[in-house]
Amino acid sequence: MQDIEIAVVGEGLAGSIAALALARAGRKVLIIAPKGERRDERTTALMDQSIRFVDSLGIWDEIAAESAPLSTMQILDGTKRLFRAPPAQFRAADVGLYAFGYNIPNKVLLSVLASAIADEPNIERLEASLGTIGVSGDIATLSLSTGQVVTAKAVIGADGRGSKVREGAGISTRRWSYPQTAVVLNFAHEQPHNNVSTEFHTETGPATQVPLPGNRSSLVWVVRPEEASRLLSLDNAALSLAVEERVQSMLGKVTVEPGAESWPLSSLMADRFGKGRVALIGEAAHAFPPIGAQGLNLSLRDVMELVALLKTSGDSPIGADLGDRFNRKRRPDIMTRTFGVDLLNRSLLSDFVPMQVARAAGLHLITAVGPLRNVLMREGIEPGRSLKDLAETLRHPFSRKQAG
């Protein structure tokens, strides 16, 4: 196994989806990753654009039964500050959708992806870690922990925040941290969630309840590090009561399921998202706090762009400027989302009164002005979607029936 078309380094969600999508687009793919043993009890909310992409890979039907639709998303100001934002509610029906997206257990996603990858003839796999990578004009050379050396026409770095692909390509990063830790857990509850996801804004960050199938939800609760330690030290009854109080008893009595864990919050953005024959996706390229269901959706847009650049109906060569083209295409979206999430998170933490007033006024404006709310909903689902809809309306101004 010496001459590979595309090497995907890393086999998390982003790497697995990239490998499957590129293989289904006609490319020969090698996945390089050590054997994973960590059980992931987290969930991921995929928005409508991402669901349509997953469906195009032929795996959505296997995932759907284990997922819960997000038909309504609401923001409640749970702070005790002088200037508080009004409740803001967003309904998928207002933009012509049944659901903004679906909340999916990561273990379901990973299991379905592993089966699809195992059955895909265009994918091979090596259980190994990347040692070093060297890139010349014509080829990338990867030295592995097993002693093997492979060459590839393109390398996709999906190996996380400590990416060796990124390091080997000579791409630096900007990193910053927050005085916050996310407590992540799943819980059962007495009352139905009715496919409503609620984000409670607090002085320490958001606490986001997201529906799961049945009377179950997931929770990402952002708190101070010392509070995260305290919460995880509680017995199940006490932690369940704390969660019930945090979600304002909206779902009745709560029972936290085993597997609660915590994750320190930080952000990362690579200075470039590709270079030469290397492209970076997922947390090798960008990472930020779990706010607004943006993380994996942003990574899937990385994958969509890769497929657009690399799909083939024959023996199409991979250009030496793949990474540079990918960098140009992805930079606006990644920078906008990264800094947008950072600004929103800092606005929650800030005691600066004008910042609090601006946040409250912004949410009030969104709530009061229907067309603006709908534009923002479409942009949250799919960047550029509202502009596409506007362009379509201008091209066919009388195609929709008038009300009344």
Side-chain angles (χ1 to χ4, degrees):
M1 194 180 300
Q2 292 295 318
D3 193 8
I4 305 301
E5 193 170 26
I6 298 175
V8 175
V9 181
E11 200 178 20
L13 289 172
S16 296
I17 293 172
L20 185 62
L22 291 168
R24 297 277 168 88
R27 294 294 184 178
K28 299 291 185 181
V29 178
L30 172 68
I31 297 174
I32 300 170
K35 185 176 181 179
E37 297 181 356
R38 186 179 184 280
R39 188 173 175 83
D40 192 341
E41 295 294 338
R42 293 172 298 170
T43 66
T44 296
L46 292 184
M47 296 295 101
D48 180 67
Q49 180 191 30
S50 297
I51 294 295
R52 285 184 278 118
F53 181 66
V54 169
D55 189 32
S56 75
L57 301 178
I59 59 175
W60 173 241
D61 287 346
E62 298 176 70
I63 297 169
E66 303 291 333
S67 307
L70 310 179
S71 297
T72 300
M73 303 177 78
Q74 59 185 359
I75 298 173
L76 300 180
D77 193 329
T79 69
K80 296 180 174 62
R81 289 168 174 159
L82 178 61
F83 296 99
R84 299 175 63 196
Q89 190 174 87
F90 309 93
R91 299 181 302 167
D94 290 343
V95 288
L97 297 172
Y98 170 68
F100 289 112
Y102 288 77
N103 192 35
I104 309 163
N106 285 5
K107 61 187 178 184
V108 171
L109 268 174
L110 288 166
S111 175
V112 171
L113 284 165
S115 296
I117 286 169
D119 293 337
E120 173 54 56
N122 278 346
I123 296 179
E124 296 185 67
R125 190 180 181 284
L126 271 178
E127 285 189 4
S129 298
L130 177 64
T132 61
I133 177 173
V135 183
S136 68
D138 297 326
I139 208 79
T141 304
L142 297 89
S143 300
L144 309 182
S145 59
T146 56
Q148 293 166 282
V149 176
V150 299
T151 58
K153 296 295 185 183
V155 179
I156 310 305
D159 49 343
R161 296 182 185 224
S163 173
K164 287 190 175 181
V165 174
R166 186 185 64 229
E167 180 184 342
I171 298 173
S172 57
T173 61
R174 282 170 279 178
R175 299 170 184 257
W176 57 101
S177 60
Y178 304 92
Q180 298 164 292
T181 295
V183 174
V184 181
L185 53 86
N186 299 329
F187 64 96
H189 40 80
E190 283 184 323
Q191 301 299 321
H193 49 56
N194 296 318
N195 301 331
V196 176
S197 175
T198 303
E199 186 168 279
F200 300 88
H201 285 181
T202 80
E203 288 90 349
T204 61
T208 308
Q209 166 267 331
V210 191
L212 285 169
N215 281 9
R216 298 175 60 241
S217 292
S218 60
L219 180 70
V220 180
W221 186 358
V222 177
V223 294
R224 301 289 183 188
E226 58 274 16
E227 176 64 4
S229 297
R230 186 190 72 82
L231 288 169
L232 292 183
S233 72
L234 298 175
D235 62 28
N236 189 262
L239 180 57
S240 296
L241 181 60
V243 169
E244 181 181 331
E245 291 173 348
R246 178 60 280 163
V247 300
Q248 300 180 3
S249 299
M250 293 174 62
L251 299 169
K253 184 178 179 181
V254 160
T255 303
V256 172
E257 299 173 359
E261 54 189 344
S262 64
W263 299 79
L265 295 196
S266 61
S267 288
L268 170 154
M269 188 167 66
D271 289 342
R272 297 177 56 89
F273 310 115
K275 180 180 178 183
R277 294 188 178 274
V278 170
L280 304 176
I281 66 171
E283 292 197 341
H286 46 76
F288 45 69
I291 295 176
Q294 294 299 313
L296 187 59
N297 291 283
L298 186 63
S299 299
L300 289 194
R301 293 200 293 276
D302 295 341
V303 177
M304 292 175 207
E305 190 59 52
L306 276 179
V307 171
L309 291 171
L310 288 168
K311 64 184 177 183
T312 178
S313 56
D315 187 22
S316 304
I318 297 175
D321 63 343
L322 166 69
D324 301 285
R325 288 186 291 140
F326 179 77
N327 175 63
R328 289 193 296 271
K329 291 283 189 178
R330 293 300 299 138
R331 179 166 292 277
D333 184 21
I334 293 172
M335 293 188 70
T336 299
R337 297 287 158 158
T338 300
F339 291 127
V341 167
D342 179 69
L343 179 61
L344 177 56
N345 191 40
R346 292 183 189 278
S347 76
L348 290 174
L349 295 174
S350 177
D351 289 324
F352 187 50
V353 172
M355 177 72 82
Q356 297 173 22
V357 171
R359 187 176 70 85
L363 279 173
H364 176 74
L365 186 63
I366 292 168
T367 302
V369 182
L372 175 61
R373 183 174 65 249
N374 291 349
V375 165
L376 291 175
M377 283 191 285
R378 292 188 180 97
E379 287 301 302
I381 296 167
E382 178 182 346
R385 183 165 181 164
S386 60
L387 295 178
K388 293 175 189 174
D389 290 348
L390 177 60
E392 184 65 21
T393 300
L394 293 175
R395 281 198 299 268
H396 307 286
F398 305 109
S399 62
R400 297 181 182 178
K401 292 182 179 180
Q402 296 290 329

